[in-house]
Amino acid sequence: MFSKEIYINRRNQLKSFVGSGIILLIGNEQSSMSFKDNWYPFRQDSSFLYFTGLDTPALAAIIDVDNNTEIIFGEESGVDDIIWNGHTPSLKEMAELSGCSTTKSFNELKSFVKNAADRHQSIHYLPPYRPEQGLLLSHLLSTPLTGVDAGVSTILIQAIVSLRSIKGKEEVEEIKKAVAISEALHLTGMRESRAGLTEAHVAGLVQSVAISGGGNLSFPTILTTHGEILHNHYGNHILPPGKMVLLDAGAETAMHYAGDLTRTFPVDAAFTSLQKDVYNIVLNALQTAAAAVQPGKLFKDIHLLAATKLTEGLTALGLMKGDAKEAVAAGAHTLFFQCGLGHMMGLDVHDMENLGEQYVGYTPEMKKSTEFGLKSLRLGKALEAGYVVTVEPGLYFIPELMDIWAAEKKLSQFINYDQLPAFRDFGGIRIEDDYLVTPTGSELLSTSLPRTVTEIEAIRQKALA
Ligand code: GLY
Ligand code: MN
Ligand code: MN
């Protein structure tokens, strides 16, 4: 963890933002896979981690703003825990690492919350995203489970979003480590893919790099020759010659900061001529969008800029027609680019998404759109120095979607429907890099991972030699 001063400072900032009441932060518990003691890998709640640094299951923190006190709730390990799981630091030792002076038994949390409520202190808590968090909140607040969501604290969400969005120097260092491990796992995927291997075989090699890096994956790997399916994970499909592999994967460090990168490369040593043309359209959109990343710029405008570049490329290729800006304004590009250009990244790969996309990616004046395409844009608001974002344009040729639009002749002034059949089996291409927004522009964090056709083909040729 970072030094305790970092956590003390974060909690002080949180207290001054929230102003009054008590803040209840719930850490995650172990989660069972198939029987009680057969756990998924433990993953701490990211906001709990941000404000305490404590990466141990079954803890909670109370930050009493009115009385300026901070308490860590948990249980000491018993003999059985020590026998099966080994020695863990005492609650007091953990709290000290975090700069908290007081600890209490988890059993006292309910009466603490009740006493605060009886004194008319507001209880600030975050929206639950795991069933057990909802159940615990229902118990602590003496509220039916169905009433928990209604009591979520908007000011706490806003405070946390404002703090976690701006990455400190020490966080940027961790994110750079995560991105470096993510680059290494991509190189492994790019070097080890072969026609005849299964997606799962390569995905396993990719994951091994994340684990060897000290943490794990930051999300389940997407590794597929059906890149048009946006979040297609991996399976036992065989990599066929002639197709492309879309690999979207990232590592998180031992401290749980994430990387998130995508590359698309040929199963063979070289792209086909058509694959190369489409790849270069996506690369041009990435480069144009990345050059526009700077403080004050609406990410939504950068998304639309990327969409315009994709549309110009598809027009040159003969798939689209007309004025690219008009086509984008009409939403014609969403036949091929159905999702958003990127998102915040930090302790979560989609940073703070559990707090609500409207709060993280938009403002009270700027509501998230419900239109096809824009409804999947997780970040629309103006960028600020200290944000870390992904930029990830793509072109996705989804046969079912092309059929639906073709049957309706939808926006046929912008789409050459007679050209679509040649793309039914094409798949999809995404290229994704990670950027720190700086006071004057942006810094590319994934500097060393190849992204041009020439660089990627050089790696594939060497791998297959
Ligand atoms: N890893 C999913 C995404 O790129 O957002
Ligand atoms: Mn990704
Ligand atoms: Mn991403």
Side-chain angles (χ1 to χ4, degrees), residues 30-50:
Q30 296 282 18
S31 187
S32 301
M33 279 192 284
S34 56
F35 54 89
K36 185 173 169 300
D37 289 338
N38 194 19
W39 298 323
Y40 289 105
F42 174 68
R43 180 53 159 82
Q44 184 58 286
D45 173 77
S46 298
S47 290
F48 186 83
L49 203 50
Y50 183 82

Side-chain angles (χ1 to χ4, degrees), residues 295-306:
K297 191 102 177 167
L298 291 181
F299 197 74
K300 181 179 173 185
D301 286 345
I302 303 177
H303 167 88
L304 294 172
L305 175 65

Side-chain angles (χ1 to χ4, degrees), residues 137 187 251-252:
L137 284 166
L187 273 180
E252 62 172 34

Side-chain angles (χ1 to χ4, degrees), residues 219 222 231 248 260 262 343 349-350 378 390 392 430 432:
F219 59 97
I222 296 165
H231 280 179
D248 181 350
D260 180 14
T262 306
H343 50 84
V349 64
H350 290 176
R378 297 183 161 94
T390 68
E392 46 181 304
R430 172 161 67 254
E432 176 176 25

